[in-house]
């Protein structure tokens, strides 16, 4: 009996270890839509939610989100950000081609015939522009029970590590900034934080190399987080924070609201 109990405990520890070590891959699509077509695109995102739910059922993806951009600076004005989650880099790179999406559309909308499905799909593609796609690998995240549901806020911060200080920057995010965010979560001033690196090799002219996701349940929590200051921070800790800030360039910040989610 004791031996069986020990085997069960070891199995639970092993399963927990495997889960903790699972790596998450994410594709960020920053999308631009003309003002005249914004209403049509609202229908498109609802259409895509049903399609991606079929992909989740087939375990092709781990999840999908549609975020409406509130504000942000960048090369273009993006109205929305779509995030697709994968548990495998090959799945991420293969993504979902047109035929795969069309096949899932047929499942999600069985009342449409083949010609109707293709017409709806082509119309949807004609609405949007896809000016920027980022393939990312999650390096670290906070421990929390944050729920992804419509209405939550996110700050997507695109970073570029200073030339020659790539490892310094990643160490700073994980060893210095992550504990600060974890403390915010413990005090109810934040929901979740994750740190990601570009999954594909990039040259020195790349506009960004990393991305952080800062999640909040509402605007009250978001603004309280902006006022956060660790009064107990030592001089050594403040120096580490400043060194971390100097190891990267914060390129763009996009504040967005979650409207559709597939989990």
């Amino acid at each position: 009996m004791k031996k069986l109990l020990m085997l069960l405990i070891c199995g639970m520890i092993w399963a927990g270890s495997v889960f903790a070590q699972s790596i998450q891959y994410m594709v960020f699509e920053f999308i631009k839509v003309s003002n005249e077509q914004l209403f049509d695109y609202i229908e498109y995102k609802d259409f895509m939610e049903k399609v991606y739910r079929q992909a989740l059922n087939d375990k092709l993806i781990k999840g999908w989100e549609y975020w409406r951009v509130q504000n942000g600076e960048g090369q273009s004005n993006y109205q929305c950000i779509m995030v697709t989650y994968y548990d495998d880099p090959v799945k991420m790179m293969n993504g979902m081609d047109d035929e795969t999406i069309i096949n899932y559309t047929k499942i999600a909308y069985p009342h449409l015939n083949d010609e109707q499905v293709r017409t709806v799909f082509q119309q949807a593609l004609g609405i949007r522009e896809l000016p920027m796609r980022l393939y990312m690998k999650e390096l670290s995240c906070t421990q929390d029970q944050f729920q992804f549901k419509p209405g939550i806020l996110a700050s997507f911060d695109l970073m570029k590590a200073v030339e020659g200080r790539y490892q310094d920057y990643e160490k700073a995010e994980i060893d210095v900034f992550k504990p600060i965010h974890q403390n915010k979560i413990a005090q109810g001033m934040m929901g979740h934080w994750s740190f990601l690196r570009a999954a594909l090799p990039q040259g020195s002219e790349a506009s960004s190399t990393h991305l952080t996701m800062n999640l909040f349940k509402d605007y009250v929590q978001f603004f309280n987080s902006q006022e956060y200051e660790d009064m107990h921070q030592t001089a050594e800790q403040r120096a580490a924070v400043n060194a971390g800030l100097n190891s990267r360039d914060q390129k763009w910040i996009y504040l967005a609201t979650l409207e559709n989610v597939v989990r």
Side-chain angles (χ1 to χ4, degrees), residues 33-56:
V33 182
S34 65
N35 292 330
E36 307 85 64
Q37 295 176 311
L38 279 176
F39 183 77
D40 293 329
Y41 198 74
I42 292 174
E43 295 184 352
Y44 171 71
K45 71 183 180 66
D46 294 335
F47 162 82
M48 291 304 295
E49 178 182 336
K50 294 183 180 179
V51 170
Y52 276 92
R53 192 165 296 282
Q54 299 303 319
L56 178 68

PDB file of all heavy atoms in Angstrom, residues 33-56:
ATOM      1  N   VAL A  33      -7.510  47.852 -40.344  1.00  0.00           N
ATOM      2  CA  VAL A  33      -8.769  47.813 -41.074  1.00  0.00           C
ATOM      3  C   VAL A  33      -9.177  49.244 -41.382  1.00  0.00           C
ATOM      4  O   VAL A  33      -9.087  50.116 -40.515  1.00  0.00           O
ATOM      5  CB  VAL A  33      -9.877  47.122 -40.250  1.00  0.00           C
ATOM      6  CG1 VAL A  33     -11.171  47.041 -41.053  1.00  0.00           C
ATOM      7  CG2 VAL A  33      -9.435  45.745 -39.796  1.00  0.00           C
ATOM      8  N   SER A  34      -9.607  49.503 -42.609  1.00  0.00           N
ATOM      9  CA  SER A  34     -10.038  50.860 -42.948  1.00  0.00           C
ATOM     10  C   SER A  34     -11.286  51.214 -42.152  1.00  0.00           C
ATOM     11  O   SER A  34     -12.109  50.352 -41.823  1.00  0.00           O
ATOM     12  CB  SER A  34     -10.324  50.964 -44.451  1.00  0.00           C
ATOM     13  OG  SER A  34     -11.422  50.150 -44.796  1.00  0.00           O
ATOM     14  N   ASN A  35     -11.449  52.482 -41.845  1.00  0.00           N
ATOM     15  CA  ASN A  35     -12.571  52.930 -41.019  1.00  0.00           C
ATOM     16  C   ASN A  35     -13.924  52.561 -41.629  1.00  0.00           C
ATOM     17  O   ASN A  35     -14.883  52.262 -40.918  1.00  0.00           O
ATOM     18  CB  ASN A  35     -12.494  54.448 -40.802  1.00  0.00           C
ATOM     19  CG  ASN A  35     -11.315  54.843 -39.934  1.00  0.00           C
ATOM     20  OD1 ASN A  35     -10.895  54.078 -39.069  1.00  0.00           O
ATOM     21  ND2 ASN A  35     -10.793  56.045 -40.152  1.00  0.00           N
ATOM     22  N   GLU A  36     -14.001  52.568 -42.955  1.00  0.00           N
ATOM     23  CA  GLU A  36     -15.269  52.255 -43.613  1.00  0.00           C
ATOM     24  C   GLU A  36     -15.651  50.787 -43.426  1.00  0.00           C
ATOM     25  O   GLU A  36     -16.814  50.408 -43.593  1.00  0.00           O
ATOM     26  CB  GLU A  36     -15.197  52.556 -45.109  1.00  0.00           C
ATOM     27  CG  GLU A  36     -14.717  53.969 -45.463  1.00  0.00           C
ATOM     28  CD  GLU A  36     -13.201  54.067 -45.498  1.00  0.00           C
ATOM     29  OE1 GLU A  36     -12.563  53.418 -46.345  1.00  0.00           O
ATOM     30  OE2 GLU A  36     -12.671  54.806 -44.643  1.00  0.00           O
ATOM     31  N   GLN A  37     -14.680  49.935 -43.114  1.00  0.00           N
ATOM     32  CA  GLN A  37     -14.944  48.500 -43.026  1.00  0.00           C
ATOM     33  C   GLN A  37     -14.926  47.968 -41.600  1.00  0.00           C
ATOM     34  O   GLN A  37     -14.997  46.755 -41.396  1.00  0.00           O
ATOM     35  CB  GLN A  37     -13.913  47.748 -43.871  1.00  0.00           C
ATOM     36  CG  GLN A  37     -14.030  48.050 -45.365  1.00  0.00           C
ATOM     37  CD  GLN A  37     -12.922  47.359 -46.162  1.00  0.00           C
ATOM     38  OE1 GLN A  37     -11.755  47.444 -45.820  1.00  0.00           O
ATOM     39  NE2 GLN A  37     -13.318  46.688 -47.231  1.00  0.00           N
ATOM     40  N   LEU A  38     -14.828  48.845 -40.618  1.00  0.00           N
ATOM     41  CA  LEU A  38     -14.757  48.402 -39.225  1.00  0.00           C
ATOM     42  C   LEU A  38     -16.003  47.607 -38.826  1.00  0.00           C
ATOM     43  O   LEU A  38     -15.907  46.603 -38.115  1.00  0.00           O
ATOM     44  CB  LEU A  38     -14.570  49.603 -38.286  1.00  0.00           C
ATOM     45  CG  LEU A  38     -13.145  50.130 -38.156  1.00  0.00           C
ATOM     46  CD1 LEU A  38     -13.117  51.372 -37.266  1.00  0.00           C
ATOM     47  CD2 LEU A  38     -12.217  49.063 -37.586  1.00  0.00           C
ATOM     48  N   PHE A  39     -17.177  48.057 -39.264  1.00  0.00           N
ATOM     49  CA  PHE A  39     -18.403  47.347 -38.904  1.00  0.00           C
ATOM     50  C   PHE A  39     -18.396  45.939 -39.495  1.00  0.00           C
ATOM     51  O   PHE A  39     -18.784  44.972 -38.834  1.00  0.00           O
ATOM     52  CB  PHE A  39     -19.630  48.117 -39.385  1.00  0.00           C
ATOM     53  CG  PHE A  39     -20.935  47.472 -38.989  1.00  0.00           C
ATOM     54  CD1 PHE A  39     -21.422  47.593 -37.696  1.00  0.00           C
ATOM     55  CD2 PHE A  39     -21.661  46.725 -39.915  1.00  0.00           C
ATOM     56  CE1 PHE A  39     -22.618  46.979 -37.325  1.00  0.00           C
ATOM     57  CE2 PHE A  39     -22.856  46.114 -39.543  1.00  0.00           C
ATOM     58  CZ  PHE A  39     -23.329  46.247 -38.256  1.00  0.00           C
ATOM     59  N   ASP A  40     -17.954  45.812 -40.750  1.00  0.00           N
ATOM     60  CA  ASP A  40     -17.886  44.495 -41.387  1.00  0.00           C
ATOM     61  C   ASP A  40     -16.894  43.593 -40.663  1.00  0.00           C
ATOM     62  O   ASP A  40     -17.096  42.379 -40.562  1.00  0.00           O
ATOM     63  CB  ASP A  40     -17.469  44.625 -42.854  1.00  0.00           C
ATOM     64  CG  ASP A  40     -18.527  45.331 -43.687  1.00  0.00           C
ATOM     65  OD1 ASP A  40     -19.711  45.192 -43.348  1.00  0.00           O
ATOM     66  OD2 ASP A  40     -18.148  46.030 -44.641  1.00  0.00           O
ATOM     67  N   TYR A  41     -15.825  44.181 -40.141  1.00  0.00           N
ATOM     68  CA  TYR A  41     -14.804  43.364 -39.489  1.00  0.00           C
ATOM     69  C   TYR A  41     -15.297  42.811 -38.155  1.00  0.00           C
ATOM     70  O   TYR A  41     -14.829  41.770 -37.703  1.00  0.00           O
ATOM     71  CB  TYR A  41     -13.524  44.173 -39.277  1.00  0.00           C
ATOM     72  CG  TYR A  41     -12.332  43.276 -39.019  1.00  0.00           C
ATOM     73  CD1 TYR A  41     -11.769  42.558 -40.065  1.00  0.00           C
ATOM     74  CD2 TYR A  41     -11.814  43.105 -37.746  1.00  0.00           C
ATOM     75  CE1 TYR A  41     -10.708  41.702 -39.852  1.00  0.00           C
ATOM     76  CE2 TYR A  41     -10.746  42.257 -37.521  1.00  0.00           C
ATOM     77  CZ  TYR A  41     -10.199  41.556 -38.579  1.00  0.00           C
ATOM     78  OH  TYR A  41      -9.155  40.689 -38.356  1.00  0.00           O
ATOM     79  N   ILE A  42     -16.254  43.491 -37.540  1.00  0.00           N
ATOM     80  CA  ILE A  42     -16.851  42.977 -36.298  1.00  0.00           C
ATOM     81  C   ILE A  42     -17.497  41.619 -36.573  1.00  0.00           C
ATOM     82  O   ILE A  42     -17.378  40.677 -35.778  1.00  0.00           O
ATOM     83  CB  ILE A  42     -17.881  43.976 -35.741  1.00  0.00           C
ATOM     84  CG1 ILE A  42     -17.167  45.243 -35.255  1.00  0.00           C
ATOM     85  CG2 ILE A  42     -18.679  43.353 -34.591  1.00  0.00           C
ATOM     86  CD1 ILE A  42     -18.099  46.356 -34.828  1.00  0.00           C
ATOM     87  N   GLU A  43     -18.167  41.521 -37.712  1.00  0.00           N
ATOM     88  CA  GLU A  43     -18.756  40.239 -38.091  1.00  0.00           C
ATOM     89  C   GLU A  43     -17.669  39.211 -38.380  1.00  0.00           C
ATOM     90  O   GLU A  43     -17.821  38.031 -38.066  1.00  0.00           O
ATOM     91  CB  GLU A  43     -19.650  40.429 -39.319  1.00  0.00           C
ATOM     92  CG  GLU A  43     -20.875  41.298 -39.072  1.00  0.00           C
ATOM     93  CD  GLU A  43     -21.763  41.381 -40.292  1.00  0.00           C
ATOM     94  OE1 GLU A  43     -21.355  40.888 -41.369  1.00  0.00           O
ATOM     95  OE2 GLU A  43     -22.872  41.934 -40.166  1.00  0.00           O
ATOM     96  N   TYR A  44     -16.559  39.657 -38.977  1.00  0.00           N
ATOM     97  CA  TYR A  44     -15.476  38.741 -39.326  1.00  0.00           C
ATOM     98  C   TYR A  44     -14.854  38.101 -38.083  1.00  0.00           C
ATOM     99  O   TYR A  44     -14.588  36.896 -38.060  1.00  0.00           O
ATOM    100  CB  TYR A  44     -14.400  39.491 -40.117  1.00  0.00           C
ATOM    101  CG  TYR A  44     -13.136  38.696 -40.339  1.00  0.00           C
ATOM    102  CD1 TYR A  44     -13.126  37.606 -41.212  1.00  0.00           C
ATOM    103  CD2 TYR A  44     -11.958  39.011 -39.677  1.00  0.00           C
ATOM    104  CE1 TYR A  44     -11.972  36.870 -41.424  1.00  0.00           C
ATOM    105  CE2 TYR A  44     -10.805  38.281 -39.879  1.00  0.00           C
ATOM    106  CZ  TYR A  44     -10.825  37.209 -40.747  1.00  0.00           C
ATOM    107  OH  TYR A  44      -9.686  36.474 -40.944  1.00  0.00           O
ATOM    108  N   LYS A  45     -14.629  38.887 -37.021  1.00  0.00           N
ATOM    109  CA  LYS A  45     -13.998  38.332 -35.818  1.00  0.00           C
ATOM    110  C   LYS A  45     -14.890  37.297 -35.147  1.00  0.00           C
ATOM    111  O   LYS A  45     -14.396  36.294 -34.604  1.00  0.00           O
ATOM    112  CB  LYS A  45     -13.621  39.437 -34.839  1.00  0.00           C
ATOM    113  CG  LYS A  45     -14.760  40.138 -34.134  1.00  0.00           C
ATOM    114  CD  LYS A  45     -14.273  41.261 -33.248  1.00  0.00           C
ATOM    115  CE  LYS A  45     -15.426  41.968 -32.541  1.00  0.00           C
ATOM    116  NZ  LYS A  45     -16.104  41.084 -31.567  1.00  0.00           N
ATOM    117  N   ASP A  46     -16.204  37.516 -35.172  1.00  0.00           N
ATOM    118  CA  ASP A  46     -17.124  36.522 -34.622  1.00  0.00           C
ATOM    119  C   ASP A  46     -17.111  35.254 -35.472  1.00  0.00           C
ATOM    120  O   ASP A  46     -17.198  34.138 -34.950  1.00  0.00           O
ATOM    121  CB  ASP A  46     -18.539  37.100 -34.550  1.00  0.00           C
ATOM    122  CG  ASP A  46     -18.637  38.251 -33.552  1.00  0.00           C
ATOM    123  OD1 ASP A  46     -17.809  38.295 -32.615  1.00  0.00           O
ATOM    124  OD2 ASP A  46     -19.525  39.108 -33.713  1.00  0.00           O
ATOM    125  N   PHE A  47     -16.997  35.452 -36.774  1.00  0.00           N
ATOM    126  CA  PHE A  47     -16.884  34.332 -37.711  1.00  0.00           C
ATOM    127  C   PHE A  47     -15.615  33.519 -37.412  1.00  0.00           C
ATOM    128  O   PHE A  47     -15.637  32.292 -37.318  1.00  0.00           O
ATOM    129  CB  PHE A  47     -16.858  34.901 -39.138  1.00  0.00           C
ATOM    130  CG  PHE A  47     -16.342  33.971 -40.190  1.00  0.00           C
ATOM    131  CD1 PHE A  47     -17.167  33.009 -40.749  1.00  0.00           C
ATOM    132  CD2 PHE A  47     -15.036  34.071 -40.643  1.00  0.00           C
ATOM    133  CE1 PHE A  47     -16.695  32.158 -41.751  1.00  0.00           C
ATOM    134  CE2 PHE A  47     -14.549  33.231 -41.633  1.00  0.00           C
ATOM    135  CZ  PHE A  47     -15.382  32.266 -42.189  1.00  0.00           C
ATOM    136  N   MET A  48     -14.481  34.230 -37.186  1.00  0.00           N
ATOM    137  CA  MET A  48     -13.211  33.556 -36.940  1.00  0.00           C
ATOM    138  C   MET A  48     -13.193  32.840 -35.593  1.00  0.00           C
ATOM    139  O   MET A  48     -12.542  31.808 -35.437  1.00  0.00           O
ATOM    140  CB  MET A  48     -12.059  34.563 -37.012  1.00  0.00           C
ATOM    141  CG  MET A  48     -11.799  35.108 -38.409  1.00  0.00           C
ATOM    142  SD  MET A  48     -11.490  33.813 -39.639  1.00  0.00           S
ATOM    143  CE  MET A  48      -9.945  33.118 -39.049  1.00  0.00           C
ATOM    144  N   GLU A  49     -13.923  33.376 -34.612  1.00  0.00           N
ATOM    145  CA  GLU A  49     -13.974  32.706 -33.309  1.00  0.00           C
ATOM    146  C   GLU A  49     -14.517  31.286 -33.454  1.00  0.00           C
ATOM    147  O   GLU A  49     -13.977  30.340 -32.873  1.00  0.00           O
ATOM    148  CB  GLU A  49     -14.848  33.501 -32.340  1.00  0.00           C
ATOM    149  CG  GLU A  49     -14.973  32.811 -30.979  1.00  0.00           C
ATOM    150  CD  GLU A  49     -15.870  33.547 -30.003  1.00  0.00           C
ATOM    151  OE1 GLU A  49     -16.048  34.770 -30.157  1.00  0.00           O
ATOM    152  OE2 GLU A  49     -16.397  32.891 -29.086  1.00  0.00           O
ATOM    153  N   LYS A  50     -15.561  31.130 -34.245  1.00  0.00           N
ATOM    154  CA  LYS A  50     -16.146  29.802 -34.440  1.00  0.00           C
ATOM    155  C   LYS A  50     -15.185  28.881 -35.199  1.00  0.00           C
ATOM    156  O   LYS A  50     -15.105  27.685 -34.919  1.00  0.00           O
ATOM    157  CB  LYS A  50     -17.472  29.921 -35.189  1.00  0.00           C
ATOM    158  CG  LYS A  50     -18.552  30.637 -34.377  1.00  0.00           C
ATOM    159  CD  LYS A  50     -19.874  30.675 -35.129  1.00  0.00           C
ATOM    160  CE  LYS A  50     -20.945  31.391 -34.311  1.00  0.00           C
ATOM    161  NZ  LYS A  50     -22.229  31.457 -35.026  1.00  0.00           N
ATOM    162  N   VAL A  51     -14.449  29.456 -36.136  1.00  0.00           N
ATOM    163  CA  VAL A  51     -13.482  28.668 -36.905  1.00  0.00           C
ATOM    164  C   VAL A  51     -12.347  28.189 -36.007  1.00  0.00           C
ATOM    165  O   VAL A  51     -11.961  27.011 -36.019  1.00  0.00           O
ATOM    166  CB  VAL A  51     -12.923  29.495 -38.078  1.00  0.00           C
ATOM    167  CG1 VAL A  51     -11.759  28.775 -38.735  1.00  0.00           C
ATOM    168  CG2 VAL A  51     -14.018  29.784 -39.105  1.00  0.00           C
ATOM    169  N   TYR A  52     -11.800  29.104 -35.201  1.00  0.00           N
ATOM    170  CA  TYR A  52     -10.690  28.736 -34.322  1.00  0.00           C
ATOM    171  C   TYR A  52     -11.122  27.783 -33.216  1.00  0.00           C
ATOM    172  O   TYR A  52     -10.317  27.012 -32.698  1.00  0.00           O
ATOM    173  CB  TYR A  52     -10.034  29.988 -33.735  1.00  0.00           C
ATOM    174  CG  TYR A  52      -9.007  30.603 -34.662  1.00  0.00           C
ATOM    175  CD1 TYR A  52      -9.351  31.601 -35.558  1.00  0.00           C
ATOM    176  CD2 TYR A  52      -7.688  30.150 -34.666  1.00  0.00           C
ATOM    177  CE1 TYR A  52      -8.425  32.151 -36.426  1.00  0.00           C
ATOM    178  CE2 TYR A  52      -6.753  30.690 -35.520  1.00  0.00           C
ATOM    179  CZ  TYR A  52      -7.121  31.690 -36.405  1.00  0.00           C
ATOM    180  OH  TYR A  52      -6.192  32.221 -37.272  1.00  0.00           O
ATOM    181  N   ARG A  53     -12.406  27.818 -32.857  1.00  0.00           N
ATOM    182  CA  ARG A  53     -12.888  26.862 -31.866  1.00  0.00           C
ATOM    183  C   ARG A  53     -12.823  25.436 -32.430  1.00  0.00           C
ATOM    184  O   ARG A  53     -12.527  24.480 -31.700  1.00  0.00           O
ATOM    185  CB  ARG A  53     -14.312  27.215 -31.439  1.00  0.00           C
ATOM    186  CG  ARG A  53     -14.772  26.459 -30.205  1.00  0.00           C
ATOM    187  CD  ARG A  53     -16.012  27.078 -29.587  1.00  0.00           C
ATOM    188  NE  ARG A  53     -15.784  28.424 -29.094  1.00  0.00           N
ATOM    189  CZ  ARG A  53     -15.169  28.704 -27.958  1.00  0.00           C
ATOM    190  NH1 ARG A  53     -14.686  27.722 -27.212  1.00  0.00           N
ATOM    191  NH2 ARG A  53     -15.021  29.949 -27.563  1.00  0.00           N
ATOM    192  N   GLN A  54     -13.080  25.300 -33.715  1.00  0.00           N
ATOM    193  CA  GLN A  54     -12.946  23.985 -34.349  1.00  0.00           C
ATOM    194  C   GLN A  54     -11.482  23.540 -34.353  1.00  0.00           C
ATOM    195  O   GLN A  54     -11.173  22.368 -34.128  1.00  0.00           O
ATOM    196  CB  GLN A  54     -13.488  24.035 -35.785  1.00  0.00           C
ATOM    197  CG  GLN A  54     -14.959  24.388 -35.900  1.00  0.00           C
ATOM    198  CD  GLN A  54     -15.849  23.443 -35.134  1.00  0.00           C
ATOM    199  OE1 GLN A  54     -15.643  22.230 -35.140  1.00  0.00           O
ATOM    200  NE2 GLN A  54     -16.844  24.005 -34.457  1.00  0.00           N
ATOM    201  N   ALA A  55     -10.563  24.483 -34.589  1.00  0.00           N
ATOM    202  CA  ALA A  55      -9.132  24.156 -34.572  1.00  0.00           C
ATOM    203  C   ALA A  55      -8.695  23.733 -33.173  1.00  0.00           C
ATOM    204  O   ALA A  55      -7.858  22.845 -33.016  1.00  0.00           O
ATOM    205  CB  ALA A  55      -8.316  25.362 -35.037  1.00  0.00           C
ATOM    206  N   LEU A  56      -9.271  24.363 -32.149  1.00  0.00           N
ATOM    207  CA  LEU A  56      -8.966  23.970 -30.768  1.00  0.00           C
ATOM    208  C   LEU A  56      -9.477  22.567 -30.487  1.00  0.00           C
ATOM    209  O   LEU A  56      -8.788  21.762 -29.842  1.00  0.00           O
ATOM    210  CB  LEU A  56      -9.602  24.972 -29.800  1.00  0.00           C
ATOM    211  CG  LEU A  56      -9.409  24.683 -28.310  1.00  0.00           C
ATOM    212  CD1 LEU A  56      -7.940  24.851 -27.919  1.00  0.00           C
ATOM    213  CD2 LEU A  56     -10.284  25.604 -27.458  1.00  0.00           C
TER     214      LEU A  56
END
